[in-house]
Amino acid sequence: MPTHPTSGTPGRPAPSGPSTPPVADSPTAFIPQVPARPARPTGSPAAPISPAAPDRVSAAGQDNFFPAGPGRVPPAAPGRVPPAAPGRVPPAGPGRVPPAAPDRAVDPGATALIPAVPATPATRPPAMDSTALMGAVPRASVPDDQTGGGDNPAEPPRPRRGERVIQLRPHQTGEGYKSVYSELTRPSLGSRIRTGIRVTGEVLITFGLVVLLFAGYEVWGKSAIVDAHQNDLNSQLAQEWAPTDDPTVAPSVGPSVKPSPPVRGKPLAGLYIPKLDKNWVVVEGVTQQDIRYAPGHYPASALPGQVGNFSVAGHRNRATFWRLDELDDGDAIVVESKTDWYVYRVSQSRIVRPTQVEVVAPVPGDPDKKPTKRMLTLTTCNPKFDNYQRLIIHAELDRTQPKSAGRPAELGG
């Protein structure tokens, strides 16, 4: 069997002639050439291939493999695979296939088809969004006038002074979900006017609700509270006026018996105004705590039925002296004590300043004069929902009726 003239491998036919490398000016000068493999006889076993000797890859071998001269191809640069001669194994190097181990049979022509892999690819595939395969919402393109001509036109613009961000809700369409980026709006004169009108309307509505709540409290809330306390005062007054069965206790009636002085905050008498269909229990004292739920008696003034001025003060609310300005001259005002009914008639109505305290003097309007009449004076705030004035109602005693004779005719007795 003939031997390859270069590698000495038996079973390989010698090449018909020397392989002439391509001219350097040819466009295929640096393309590796794949040698044609001779056909193997059918039915005959493949002949073993001897391993390449280490000394074959040497400087002298390289000169013989790539001889220098005119029209010759220079040795390939690192990273390229030079064309392999038939039966030769190219020397090892960067991007080259290393020689096979001595204990393996290597076909030199099998390595000619493996191209060298460059260390760094010349071009990279275009970057792909990490959410492109997940069906994410595509980024909305923003015009250059909004982004300021930046490098990333898909980046949402930042709000500038005078602009605000309006959050938009995503909604699905036939083509998928629309962009969920915010929009920027610049306020204009019309938008500022509309905003001012809206804020003013909200303030007025809130103020109106507060006024309605206050009025509702004055009409229904406070009236219910005062009525509940009036029921308690009526019970206390009935217990104090109840007759006693103890014979050792002297009766508190008669001209020789002096009534005990009233106690501050305790019920004193009953007050009725038939025209207004209202009645209250009068307590002793005119402080805010005393007259919170009932009219109060001025401690320095006369008692019911006595000579002087029986003066009573009350709040101007729905539960107390709200309609006191409806009284006219001659209207009846009835006062109840433990033993008698006192019927007064309205004689005068007037409005004074809060500093005019002479209206509750023994003689109204003349504090130094000695009283000769039995008077009744009712005082309250004026106007309604305010207190910079005082409404004064004066009345004179018309008659006295004992309780044993029943209720007065003015009360339907």
Side-chain angles (χ1 to χ4, degrees), residues 26-110:
S26 176
T28 59
F30 295 95
I31 299 177
Q33 301 296 323
V34 180
R37 299 180 58 184
R40 181 179 298 172
T42 305
S44 61
I49 301 174
S50 61
D55 55 352
R56 297 300 299 273
V57 182
S58 60
Q62 291 180 5
D63 293 339
N64 295 332
F65 188 73
F66 295 106
R72 301 283 186 172
V73 180
R80 296 182 180 270
V81 180
R88 279 179 173 260
V89 179
R96 299 175 185 269
V97 180
D103 58 347
R104 292 189 180 183
V106 179
D107 186 1

Side-chain angles (χ1 to χ4, degrees), residues 122-134:
T123 59
R124 293 186 177 180
M128 181 178 298
D129 192 357
S130 59
T131 60
L133 301 179
M134 300 168 60

